Amino acid sequence: MSEIHPENYSHLRNLMCECIAVHLPDDKAYLAEARLHSLAREYTQGDINALIEKACSDTGDELRCQLVEAMAINETYFFRDPIFNESFIDHMLPNLMKRRRSDKTLRIWSAACSTGQEPYSIALLLEEHFPELKDWDVQIIASDFSRQSLSKAQSGRYGLTEMNRGLPALLMAKHFEQIDLEWQVKPVIREKVEFQRINLIHDWPEALPQFDIVLLRNVLLYFSMADRMKVLHKVRSQCRDDGYLLLGAAENLEIASGFTPVQAGKCGRFYQPG
Ligand SMILES: C[S@@+](CC[C@H](N)C(=O)[O-])C[C@H]1O[C@@H](n2cnc3c(N)ncnc32)[C@H](O)[C@@H]1O
């Protein structure tokens, strides 16, 4: 495997920043070498430096996209953050349902959904704990910039290692079917999630509804402060006044983001407009 030249790593970092606002640390060139290995084999006979140079050339549009997708951190798993799940079930959703009982609508957005475990976990929580939502108009939208992640998310197919990360055995048996060496979310749950390709730092589709809940977990931490603020202000305008924003366990909101923290059970990481 070829070693990446510092100037090419620097091009790659700029590319990530320009395309998806993600800042790669300056000491992670080895990560690029590992992640770009198979693209380099496909396009430049294993030469990673030639791959980056090709992608940065005028005609490298599609390759640039593939490079950025290959470099994006898409780590995720089912039912990430158990305290969140508990507070979601015991506090947030019951409160929201009380407030929405006349129009019976619920709009949820998983705004950096990676390979789908997050939105499917939400769909499973609703299915398992809120049977009364059956006659509500519930929409779960899940988006990511990455075509590769979205394609896997849409298929709802996972290998054993992914299934073993966070998914209780009972839910696996009830809501998944085995296909060869993989498991697929059953259609009745899959159909509850609508996938869209949205880059958080580009324009968002005009047809996006106003949301009751926005999950923006484990993505803003890779953005600069200025880009975080930009995205948060857009999320604020996409969120109903009494809706909720959820961040990842390691993320906190800066002041002036348009949201303030609210306590919901043991979890203090829910935010509401204000
Ligand atoms: C670490 S994963 C988090 C997945 C999930 N939210 C979770 O917490 O388990 C981060 C995701 O953000 C996506 N992402 C990064 N930059 C993005 C951008 N500018 N627009 C949309 N998605 C982005 C990546 O493709 C990746 O799927």
Side-chain angles (χ1 to χ4, degrees), residues 16-17 19-22 68-69 71-78 80 110-119 143-147 149-150 197-202 204 215-223 231 247-249 251:
M16 293 294 284
C17 207
C19 296
I20 59 168
V22 163
V68 173
E69 294 200 0
M71 285 304 301
I73 295 156
N74 62 357
E75 156 87 355
T76 188
Y77 42 94
F78 289 103
R80 195 169 190 169
S110 165
C113 69
S114 185
T115 41
Q117 287 90 328
E118 179 176 271
S143 64
D144 204 282
F145 88 93
S146 165
R147 298 167 303 184
S149 292
L150 283 172
R197 186 170 183 220
I198 299 176
N199 186 331
L200 292 168
I201 56 153
H202 289 171
W204 298 353
L215 295 104
L216 191 62
R217 301 201 296 174
N218 304 301
V219 59
L220 288 187
L221 73 170
Y222 303 110
F223 288 16
V231 172
L247 299 179
E251 295 170 306

Side-chain angles (χ1 to χ4, degrees), residues 171-190:
L171 294 187
M172 173 170 169
K174 190 169 164 191
H175 296 292
F176 287 75
E177 47 207 2
Q178 188 168 4
I179 301 173
D180 302 325
L181 293 176
E182 293 188 315
W183 282 260
Q184 185 170 36
V185 187
K186 287 187 178 168
V188 68
I189 299 294
R190 234 168 41 228

Side-chain angles (χ1 to χ4, degrees), residues 245-265:
L245 166 68
L246 313 178
L247 299 179
E251 295 170 306
N252 286 308
L253 269 197
E254 295 76 23
I255 42 168
S257 63
F259 290 91
T260 49
V262 285
Q263 195 66 33

Side-chain angles (χ1 to χ4, degrees), residues 135-155:
D135 45 277
W136 282 47
D137 170 12
V138 178
Q139 192 179 16
I140 304 173
I141 294 179
S143 64
D144 204 282
F145 88 93
S146 165
R147 298 167 303 184
Q148 230 176 17
S149 292
L150 283 172
S151 151
K152 180 173 168 98
Q154 233 151 358
S155 78

